[in-house]
């Protein structure tokens, strides 16, 4: 599901149109399609990731304000006690943002800011994105071969060069 604001964003940042992104997915739903399968708890899913998650959609999820398919599907995932992961994209945060993150966490959702993992020593932006996506998939028990897992320090600063 790509929101209308998400379409603007994808166009500005990636030069991609809705169709370009939907073509990458096995299933695509329009956010206005409130009668889609995922709007009902009887339709089985493992859960849902909203990535990136705007502060507006975070607010909608935190307050069960399910006025489009994104917020309704997230509402369903929470009520069915399935896995919900929100990847917020905003900084700095105001008190409403923080309170909404607490509310979602209290309901069992996971707030996962896409914080760059510098310990994995990324060389490119793709490395950073792959790491975040790998950690996101971990939350669903899906293991990505591309994820560089922490193996401990190779050398300690106390060791001679
Ligand atoms: C190019 C662009 C980038 C944006 N980036 C963000 C962002 O990083 N975080 C955010 O919370 N809102 C951002 N916004 C504002 C949201 O798009 C706006 O709040 C919108 O109502 C969110 O709707 P949605 O959650 O249905 O996608 C951005 C808007 C545009 C046009």
């Amino acid at each position: 599901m790509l929101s209308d604001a998400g379409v603007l964003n994808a166009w500005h940042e990636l030069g991609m149109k809705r169709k370009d992104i939907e073509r990458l997915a096995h299933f695509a739903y329009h956010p206005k399609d409130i009668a889609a399968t995922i709007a009902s708890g009887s339709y089985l899913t493992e859960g849902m990731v909203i990535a990136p998650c705007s502060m507006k959609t975070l607010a909608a999820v935190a307050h069960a304000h399910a006025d489009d398919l994104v917020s309704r599907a997230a509402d369903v995932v929470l009520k069915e006690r399935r896995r919900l992961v929100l990847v917020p994209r905003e900084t700095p945060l105001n008190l409403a943002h923080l309170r909404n993150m607490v509310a979602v966490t209290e309901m069992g959702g996971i707030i996962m800011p896409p914080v760059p993992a510098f310990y994995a020593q990324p060389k490119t932006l793709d490395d950073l994105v792959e790491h975040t996506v790998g950690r996101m998939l971990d939350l669903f028990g899906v293991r990505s071969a591309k994820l560089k897992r922490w193996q401990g320090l190779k050398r300690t600063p106390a060791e001679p060069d």
Side-chain angles (χ1 to χ4, degrees):
M1 275 174 286
L2 188 58
S3 69
D4 288 344
V7 170
L8 289 182
N9 201 325
W11 177 246
H12 174 68
E13 296 178 6
L14 302 167
M16 292 174 86
K17 295 185 173 177
R18 176 184 289 283
K19 281 273 164 280
D20 302 326
I21 294 179
E22 287 182 351
R23 223 176 281 127
L24 300 173
H26 290 103
F27 297 91
Y29 306 91
H30 194 278
K32 297 240 161 40
D33 184 9
I34 205 67
T37 50
I38 53 175
S40 169
S42 67
Y43 184 79
L44 290 177
T45 65
E46 295 288 324
M48 178 174 177
V49 181
I50 304 181
C53 183
S54 75
M55 295 303 98
K56 175 244 178 184
T57 290
L58 166 69
V61 174
H63 297 276
H65 185 76
D67 69 340
D68 67 4
L69 187 61
V70 178
S71 46
R72 170 60 188 169
D75 201 53
V76 165
V77 166
L78 286 179
K79 84 184 174 75
E80 301 296 334
R81 308 297 195 269
R82 297 173 192 154
R83 180 68 100 205
L84 177 67
V85 177
L86 303 190
V87 184
R89 208 185 85 154
E90 193 56 281
T91 193
L93 300 167
N94 67 32
L95 188 55
H97 302 152
L98 292 166
R99 285 191 170 135
N100 289 336
M101 289 183 194
V102 169
V104 170
T105 303
E106 284 172 342
M107 288 188 279
I110 296 177
I111 304 293
M112 189 197 156
V115 175
F118 292 117
Y119 65 83
Q121 300 184 339
K123 302 286 180 290
T124 65
L125 281 178
D126 273 355
D127 291 345
L128 288 177
V129 173
E130 272 170 12
H131 193 90
T132 295
V133 171
R135 296 296 308 280
M136 214 183 286
L137 292 173
D138 268 354
L139 293 172
F140 289 82
V142 177
R143 306 298 172 216
S144 165
K146 292 181 177 173
L147 180 57
K148 272 174 83 179
R149 296 183 187 280
W150 177 243
Q151 304 293 334
L153 277 176
K154 298 280 176 273
R155 293 185 311 133
T156 66
E159 282 175 37
D161 287 330

